Amino acid sequence: MSAVLKTALPVRESPAPESLALKAEAKGLDFYYGAFKALKNLHMPVYEKKVTALIGPSGCGKSTFLRSFNRMHDLYPGNRYQGEIRMYPDNVNILAPDVDPIEVRMRISMVFQKPNPFPKTIYENVAYGMRVRNINRKSTVDEKVEKALREAALWMEVKDRLHDLAFNLSGGQQQRLCIARALATDPEMLLFDEPTSALDPIATASIEELVDELRQRVTILIVTHNMQQAARISDYTAYMYLGEIIEFGETDQIFIKPRNKQTEDYITGRFG
Amino acid sequence: MGATTTGTDLHAGKLRALRALIASHKRWDLFFASVGVLALMFGILAFVALFFDMAVDGVPRITPDFFASFPSRRAENAGILSAWVGSTLVMLVTALAAVPLGVGAGVYLEEYAPRNWMTDVIEINVTNLAGVPSIVYGLLALGLFVYQFGLGQSILTAGLTLALLILPVVIVATREAIRAIPVAIREGAYALGASKWQTTHDHIIPYSMAGILTGVIIGLARAIGETAPIITIGALTFIAFLPPPPVQATAPFVNFEWLTSPFTVMPIQMFNWTSRPEEAFQANAAAAGLVLVVMTLVMNALAIYIRYRLRRNIKW
Ligand SMILES: Nc1ncnc2c1ncn2[C@@H]1O[C@H](COP(=O)(O)OP(=O)(O)O)[C@@H](O)[C@H]1O
Ligand SMILES: [Mg+2]
């Protein structure tokens, strides 16, 4: 076992099994970009109010899997899902053709790889999710904007310049703004696609800290190419390779006692 | 010791050969740069010479009276009042028609149109339309607007004709401006649950406004100098009255009669004067040409300014 990974492991009591509830579950999920099959028969639970990390070498399908959860692929022609992602407690297959992708995106929010604030003010960025939902009462919006910015640990830094352009923030602040934007509408689940890959180490640390706090109120699914990060912040980890889930388990187990040889090779750095 | 000397010699020889090679490559840089400067100078000098020639003839005629007088049989009394008012009103119609049509078509093609062969055919046609000779638009307008729709030889007809002419420019500018918006911004909006229309209305159109307006103004700058299609639809060459004003002091305060009024425009007035034998009319033509060039330059400057102003808040 590599020393790096051992020191990187957080000390965390194992979750009490009775507190585990399913928030979503992939069941036999296949995904096609045109004729190219990018995801192959994925099965994976996502537990409520836990952080689930997707790791694996570049191009293995992590983003493709993540973006299936909010039907992002529906934006482009030629993409096709097969199988199910069930969401609970309502037990609906969010990939079903008769489920509106907009409804899914309203329930499951997303933070992207590179911070992508709109060229608007800080305030309007956070308020946009509410505008989309026709929530326009100023007092309500004000309140929710503040709450979301506090939850994203950005309030103290921006409260005096809410009407400045979001582009004037640093990269790390922009990413926290995007998190606030995603939080402002109380999503049931939050997707992160390598949210720190464009950030410096200090900004990265603050995002990780934030994810650690957010787990108490929202279910999180996060893609990361950084194994230490997965080890530090996630409760569950899935290792993916060539469009398949090779191994899924509690993060501690995956990093200390992987059952699969391929997983072990990857996390010990012999491969990837 | 001897070995080192030959080694150094060898080294020096290699270096000399290398430098000779680089020097020969650089001669081509010099050659191309000279050709480029010549080509550039040719264009610029030709324009500057023309402009100065026109300025020398025309500037003495540019007086307040010149802008406030109707055309006249006596060159020294003639002015461009009906022409510049006509041009302005025609441009107004052109802009009001071309902006919604062009932006609508551009946004539809980029955001809504399904990707299939129909869309491809339409796209190729839009690009080709930009190359259709303007007189063909004139002919089309004569048949369609003047005879078919019965709009007459009016400001409305002229405005709509020029709107058709610049439509491809507006569509292409709109599409390019939309394509410059990063995918991540668009996905950011969709990820919050925005519908297609919300994304288009709240993000795509505002963020591409700078590019769209630039395209519109460049299109208008081209349209204001167009002569052939306007002659084809039958603009007057001599007109001594103004269209009814669009606004009035009594209710309902706006008046649309000007749309159906006969008119003339700057380039036609200019053309009319150049075809007169008298020397004095040539000076009038030069002065009108000068005004037209300045109008075009001002429009282009406006386009640059708008672009700068609107892009200030957008960094990607
Ligand atoms: N839009 C697309 N069209 C076709 N193939 C794609 C597209 N996006 C990704 N892929 C392919 O799908 C596979 C998985 O990609 P992705 O999910 O982005 O991997 P990861 O996020 O793990 O790096 C890769 O082989 C990639 O080349
Ligand atoms: Mg990825």
Side-chain angles (χ1 to χ4, degrees), chain A residues 67 70 72 75-76 102 105-106 108-110 112 116-120 128 132-133 165 167-168 181-182, chain B residues 115 183-185 187-196 198-199 202-203 206-207 312-316:
Chain A
R67 289 160 64 90
N70 66 346
M72 231 36 190
L75 294 176
Y76 306 99
I102 294 179
R105 292 178 200 136
M106 285 195 169
I108 304 182
S109 215
M110 178 165 181
F112 295 78
N116 60 344
F118 303 129
K120 297 179 187 284
Y128 189 65
V132 162
R133 288 159 178 76
L165 285 176
F167 284 147
N168 295 333
R181 187 172 73 180
Chain B
R115 293 269 157 257
V183 176
I185 294 287
E187 289 193 346
Y190 283 119
L192 289 169
S195 66
K196 212 170 225 190
Q198 284 172 326
T199 305
D202 300 339
H203 303 281
Y207 307 159
R312 236 180 3 181
N313 296 344
I314 297 179
K315 297 190 194 90
W316 50 58

Side-chain angles (χ1 to χ4, degrees), chain B:
Chain B
M1 201 48 187
T4 325
T5 316
T6 39
T8 316
D9 283 351
L10 245 175
H11 185 72
K14 259 190 190 165
L15 220 60
R16 254 198 312 280
L18 201 62
R19 283 179 190 147
L21 187 71
I22 294 171
S24 87
H25 289 172
K26 283 196 167 167
R27 273 197 290 281
W28 281 103
D29 281 345
L30 189 68
F31 175 74
F32 179 77
S34 330
V35 171
V37 166
L38 271 178
L40 193 65
M41 277 303 146
F42 184 78
I44 291 180
L45 285 180
F47 177 76
V48 169
L50 258 167
F51 190 77
F52 267 98
D53 191 41
M54 212 159 66
V56 168
D57 290 345
V59 164
R61 285 294 293 125
I62 298 187
T63 59
D65 271 352
F66 188 63
F67 291 93
S69 313
F70 287 109
S72 158
R73 233 158 306 161
R74 300 228 312 266
E76 60 275 19
N77 292 346
I80 55 169
L81 179 60
S82 43
W84 76 255
V85 170
S87 275
T88 308
L89 292 177
V90 169
M91 284 305 111
L92 189 67
V93 175
T94 302
L96 288 180
V99 170
L101 286 177
V103 174
V107 168
Y108 175 79
L109 281 174
E110 276 309 303
E111 296 295 311
Y112 282 83
R115 293 269 157 257
N116 57 27
W117 66 269
M118 265 280 283
T119 318
D120 288 347
V121 169
I122 291 173
E123 281 181 12
I124 292 168
N125 272 304
V126 167
T127 322
N128 285 344
L129 278 180
V132 171
S134 57
I135 192 154
V136 174
Y137 283 98
L139 223 54
L140 173 85
L142 186 66
L144 193 67
F145 297 140
V146 179
Y147 296 126
Q148 200 73 39
F149 295 168
L151 299 181
Q153 300 169 333
S154 60
I155 290 178
L156 183 60
T157 300
L160 293 179
T161 309
L162 294 182
L164 279 187
L165 186 78
I166 69 166
L167 209 48
V169 178
V170 178
I171 294 176
V172 169
T174 302
R175 299 187 62 189
E176 272 168 11
I178 289 177
R179 281 189 205 164
I181 299 173
V183 176
I185 294 287
R186 195 184 307 253
E187 289 193 346
Y190 283 119
L192 289 169
S195 66
K196 212 170 225 190
W197 172 245
Q198 284 172 326
T199 305
T200 304
H201 171 272
D202 300 339
H203 303 281
I204 303 299
I205 292 179
Y207 307 159
S208 50
M209 218 30 159
I212 293 174
L213 284 181
T214 309
V216 168
I217 294 173
I218 304 253
L220 289 178
R222 177 182 166 195
I224 201 171
E226 278 295 340
T227 323
I230 304 289
I231 290 181
T232 315
I233 60 168
L236 300 179
T237 50
F238 187 96
I239 183 166
F241 60 87
L242 287 181
V247 283
Q248 60 193 31
T250 56
F253 303 110
V254 284
N255 185 335
F256 291 107
E257 270 171 48
W258 59 277
L259 284 170
T260 53
S261 169
F263 67 101
T264 193
V265 291
M266 293 287 296
I268 290 183
Q269 182 64 74
M270 202 181 146
F271 176 70
N272 176 254
W273 280 332
T274 35
S275 56
R276 300 285 193 96
E278 301 96 313
E279 192 66 35
F281 277 111
Q282 300 307 319
N284 282 357
L290 206 59
V291 172
L292 195 57
V293 169
V294 169
M295 279 168 112
T296 318
L297 291 180
V298 166
M299 285 168 100
N300 280 315
L302 188 68
I304 292 169
Y305 176 72
I306 287 178
R307 196 174 184 78
Y308 164 77
R309 274 302 293 256
L310 292 181
R311 293 274 324 172
R312 236 180 3 181
N313 296 344
I314 297 179
K315 297 190 194 90
W316 50 58

